[in-house]
């Protein structure tokens, strides 16, 4: 998290260059995908794309003990260009998924399309100081935020109402089950929100939490239920899987295997996945030992979007290929927006989310932090999974909430130099979300769909 913070600060100070690179990148990816489509349309039968790429079968159980675990000490001996290897995975039959989804959309309105309504009668759903599991990175009031408007907004879909939050009803849904969040620090925020939303109705002696580790478990004995968080910011096995000691400067992944993590999440009944921001910080190194039989740790470098696509496919392959996933309820939470440049919602200004006290009321507002090519890629992968995975599409609704981030009102792990302290926007966290706040609504959406 501190690394994210640092990255963000760096990113802001180099904005003109990075912004330019981003634009070029977006332009290239649009051009690239259109060209691919053209080629495929021209030669529908005689040149299937399989011929131009090497396809890899993902999630193969390791056959020899020569396979090395990735950890924060892992290094690539050599790093070359991406060789174009792709993941071979088989999606599910579209028919069954399609018709059920159509039925659902007839029955329900689009709960992700709506507006924020100020409601200090019903919100917040819990008090910050009443939640013993609150994180110091998200407890904004405790860390000096005095405007508390951010706690009082209700999400109101345009054509219907969200199911009213009810902690007892949620516990009844969770009785005898394991609910597991799998992902990065944004997902951890949603997990903490869920515990804070639910803990008050459990007597203190009936609840417990294991110490923070890769898998952290909150347990409610009287419901025989757990709410767990698995730190897996890149979903697949990587050198960043230690929640405390990880490296962000050189991310090395095994693009073809989620097995290390899936061994943990396979015990859950309800799964909530996310991944996004870790792919937005420059190229990723693909650790390719399993892709060939050479002993050397030779890596290939690939841009974040390309690497994330491989990973989403490897993840989807696991969910699609094992029948045990049929008994689970699986959700994917879309990208959480950032508010790093206030000029995107207030032309000519130079700040970020710092000192923002109200949501954006320009319907359809979309900031540069939410990458559309990534969204399209995620959509394509999820479509091929049919109804096996449900989308919690938090992106648009969270885009409006420029007021919801901790900015300077959180614990910072490093001591900040005086010149930074004198300039609050320079160290504001405009990535994570204050609690109570926006992630509570993500959980209300989850409740709505369970
Ligand atoms: C390659 O890297 C691995 C660790 O990633 C190391 O054990 C091995 O000795 C290295 N090989 C060479 C030839 O440098
Ligand atoms: C939060 O605390 C205030 C005052 O202590 C109390 O009136 C309110 O009911 C509490 N809200 C919740 C959701 O517990
Ligand atoms: C508690 O839940 C687990 C599944 O998570 C189940 O195997 C076990 O039988 C349950 N125990 C009781 C006492 O209901
Ligand atoms: C391993 O790396 C060394 C040094 O880079 C190289 O000479 C050797 O050919 C590599 N081995 C294989 C199997 O690629
Ligand atoms: C999420 O919603 C946005 C519009 O708000 C839409 O463009 C996008 O396709 C949706 N994403 C998915 C994965 O359904």
């Amino acid at each position: 998290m501190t690394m994210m913070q640092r990255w963000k600060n760096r990113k802001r100070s180099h904005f003109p260059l990075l912004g330019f690179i981003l634009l070029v990148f977006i332009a290239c990816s649009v051009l690239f995908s259109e060209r691919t489509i053209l080629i495929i349309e021209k030669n529908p039968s005689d040149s299937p794309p399989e011929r131009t790429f090497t396809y890899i079968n993902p999630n193969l159980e390791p056959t020899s003990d020569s396979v090395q675990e990735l950890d924060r000490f892992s290094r690539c001996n050599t790093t070359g260009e991406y060789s174009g290897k792709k993941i071979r995975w088989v999606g599910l039959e579209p028919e069954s998924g399609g018709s059920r989804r159509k039925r659902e959309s007839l029955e329900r309105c689009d709960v992700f399309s709506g507006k924020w309504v100020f409601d200090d009668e019903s919100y917040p759903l819990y008090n910050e100081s009443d939640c013993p599991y609150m994180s110091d990175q998200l407890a904004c009031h405790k860390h000096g935020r005095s405007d508390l408007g951010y706690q009082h907004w209700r999400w109101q879909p345009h054509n219907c109402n969200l199911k009213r939050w009810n902690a007892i009803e949620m516990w009844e849904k969770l009785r005898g089950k394991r609910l597991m969040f799998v992902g990065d620090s944004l997902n951890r925020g949603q997990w903490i929100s869920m515990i804070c939303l639910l803990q008050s109705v459990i007597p203190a002696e009936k609840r417990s939490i294991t110490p923070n580790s890769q898998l952290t478990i909150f347990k409610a004995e009287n419901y025989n239920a757990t709410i767990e968080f698995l730190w897996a910011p890149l979903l697949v096995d990587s050198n960043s899987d230690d929640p405390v000691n990880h490296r962000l400067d050189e991310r090395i992944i095994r693009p073809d295997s989620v097995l290390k993590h899936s061994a943990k999440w396979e015990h859950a009944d309800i799964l909530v996945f996310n991944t996004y921001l870790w792919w937005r910080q420059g190229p990723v190194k693909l650790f390719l030992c399993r892709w060939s039989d050479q002993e050397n740790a030779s890596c290939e470098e690939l841009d974040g979007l390309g690497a994330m696509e491989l990973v989403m496919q490897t993840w989807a392959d696991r969910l699609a290929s094992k029948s045990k996933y049929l008994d689970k309820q699986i959700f994917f939470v879309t990208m959480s927006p950032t508010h790093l440049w206030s000029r995107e919602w207030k032309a000519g200004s130079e700040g970020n989310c710092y000192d923002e006290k109200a949501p954006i009321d320009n319907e359809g507002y979309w900031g540069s932090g939410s990458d559309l090519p990534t969204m399209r890629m995620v959509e394509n992968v999820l479509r091929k999974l049919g109804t096996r995975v449900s989308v919690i599409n938090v992106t648009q609704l969270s885009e409006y909430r420029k007021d919801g981030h901790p900015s300077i009102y959180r614990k910072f792990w490093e001591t900040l130099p005086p010149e930074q302290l004198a300039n609050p926007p320079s160290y504001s966290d405009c990535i994570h979300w204050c609690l109570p706040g926006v992630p509570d609504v993500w959980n209300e959406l989850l409740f709505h769909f369970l």
Side-chain angles (χ1 to χ4, degrees):
M1 243 113 12
T2 47
M3 295 301 285
M4 269 225 188
Q5 195 60 26
R6 214 177 285 152
W7 158 71
K8 183 205 63 188
N9 291 335
R10 202 166 54 225
K11 191 158 181 178
R12 185 174 334 101
S13 53
H14 293 270
F15 168 67
L17 176 62
L18 275 169
F20 176 73
I21 292 173
L22 195 69
L23 278 178
V24 170
F25 174 67
I26 289 173
C28 288
S29 36
V30 169
L31 285 178
F32 176 75
S33 49
E34 281 174 0
R35 231 183 71 214
T36 319
I37 291 163
L38 276 181
I39 292 167
I40 290 168
E41 280 173 354
K42 248 193 245 160
N43 310 305
S45 56
D46 55 13
S47 79
E50 274 83 355
R51 279 199 210 143
T52 44
F53 302 109
T54 317
Y55 279 80
I56 303 296
N57 293 325
N59 298 315
L60 301 174
E61 301 290 342
T63 47
S64 76
D65 48 10
S66 70
V67 173
Q68 212 196 318
E69 286 265 311
L70 279 180
D71 59 29
R72 72 195 147 103
F73 303 111
S74 302
R75 295 285 180 280
C76 295
N77 299 2
T78 59
T79 300
E81 273 178 36
Y82 174 53
S83 59
K85 292 191 180 74
K86 291 191 179 296
I87 300 293
R88 188 198 310 278
W89 77 287
V90 184
L92 297 167
E93 291 294 310
E95 292 88 8
S96 58
S99 64
R100 215 178 109 191
R101 191 166 283 179
K102 215 178 268 165
R103 236 192 357 261
E104 278 182 10
S105 65
L106 286 178
E107 285 165 10
R108 300 175 185 179
C109 78
D110 178 5
V111 292
F112 306 117
S113 163
K115 61 174 191 221
W116 290 96
V117 175
F118 192 78
D119 176 356
D120 55 1
E121 294 274 301
S122 334
Y123 288 76
L125 297 168
Y126 56 90
N127 281 329
E128 184 193 278
S129 57
D130 292 347
C131 180
Y133 311 101
M134 182 61 69
S135 155
D136 268 337
Q137 288 166 80
L138 311 174
C140 299
H141 183 42
K142 176 180 169 188
H143 288 90
R145 185 159 178 179
S146 55
D147 63 300
L148 298 180
Y150 70 88
Q151 299 189 352
H152 299 295
W153 294 91
R154 176 166 54 83
W155 177 248
Q156 179 60 58
H158 282 317
N159 300 313
C160 54
N161 293 319
L162 274 187
K163 210 158 88 176
R164 217 182 150 74
W165 173 257
N166 182 317
I168 302 286
E169 197 184 332
M170 184 66 179
W171 276 120
E172 286 304 335
K173 289 177 195 286
L174 297 180
R175 187 183 285 280
K177 291 189 176 158
R178 296 177 67 173
L179 162 62
M180 193 185 289
F181 292 84
V182 181
D184 61 21
S185 59
L186 276 313
N187 201 270
R188 175 160 48 206
Q190 188 178 350
W191 169 73
I192 293 172
S193 154
M194 186 59 100
I195 296 175
C196 290
L197 281 164
L198 285 173
Q199 60 88 26
S200 66
V201 298
I202 307 293
E205 73 278 7
K206 297 279 185 204
R207 54 178 143 91
S208 58
I209 194 161
T210 61
N212 183 32
S213 63
Q214 200 200 358
L215 180 62
T216 310
I217 302 175
F218 174 86
K219 198 166 177 186
E221 266 174 56
N222 47 346
Y223 285 94
N224 186 29
T226 59
I227 305 175
E228 316 183 19
F229 174 68
L230 180 67
W231 172 255
L234 296 155
L235 287 186
V236 290
D237 305 352
S238 80
N239 67 341
S240 305
D241 296 334
D242 183 316
V244 185
N245 290 313
H246 48 251
R247 305 181 58 204
L248 206 63
D249 51 338
E250 186 182 62
R251 281 151 301 144
I252 307 177
I253 61 169
R254 251 186 232 294
D256 60 335
S257 173
V258 293
L259 294 179
K260 207 173 77 192
H261 299 327
S262 64
K264 297 195 175 86
W265 79 51
E266 265 160 17
H267 305 292
D269 302 287
I270 306 166
L271 282 158
V272 182
F273 292 95
N274 94 322
T275 188
Y276 173 57
L277 277 176
W278 281 61
W279 304 105
R280 299 279 296 157
Q281 299 159 50
V284 182
K285 292 194 177 176
L286 312 177
F287 196 80
L288 299 176
C289 286
R290 299 255 299 274
W291 283 21
S292 59
D293 37 31
Q294 67 192 27
E295 290 290 307
N296 284 350
S298 69
C299 293
E300 293 178 5
E301 195 165 88
L302 182 56
D303 62 78
L305 175 55
M308 181 176 168
E309 181 168 20
L310 297 178
V311 163
M312 289 294 292
Q313 290 169 335
T314 296
W315 166 82
D317 167 79
R318 188 68 188 169
L319 303 192
S321 63
K322 291 276 175 276
S323 58
K324 61 183 150 198
Y325 284 98
L326 282 171
D327 306 330
K328 302 183 194 300
Q329 284 175 287
I330 306 174
F331 297 89
F332 187 84
V333 180
T334 59
M335 51 204 185
S336 171
T338 55
H339 292 90
L340 305 180
W341 299 295
S342 61
R343 54 176 184 74
E344 293 181 359
W345 59 86
K346 201 188 307 163
S349 61
E350 286 202 334
N352 50 29
C353 73
Y354 173 71
D355 213 24
E356 291 292 348
K357 298 193 169 74
I360 292 167
D361 57 12
N362 167 17
E363 175 143 6
Y365 170 83
W366 195 271
S368 67
S370 300
D371 182 53
L372 283 166
T374 303
M375 186 62 108
R376 257 178 262 135
M377 178 275 287
V378 167
E379 244 176 270
N380 285 336
V381 174
L382 294 180
R383 185 177 310 123
K384 283 173 78 181
L385 280 170
T387 49
R388 202 165 285 196
V389 176
S390 308
V391 184
I392 306 280
N393 196 334
V394 302
T395 310
Q396 177 74 72
L397 65 98
S398 310
E399 273 288 357
Y400 300 129
R401 294 302 307 276
K402 62 179 166 58
D403 61 317
H405 300 284
S407 69
I408 63 170
Y409 305 112
R410 53 162 276 193
K411 185 182 171 108
F412 289 94
W413 307 110
E414 44 218 306
T415 12
L416 297 158
E419 62 272 21
Q420 245 189 339
L421 287 171
N423 179 14
S426 74
Y427 67 102
S428 283
D429 176 354
C430 299
I431 293 175
H432 301 98
W433 303 96
C434 296
L435 290 182
V438 175
D440 301 335
V441 170
W442 302 353
N443 280 323
E444 288 191 272
L445 290 163
L446 181 60
F447 174 64
H448 187 86
F449 286 110
L450 271 178

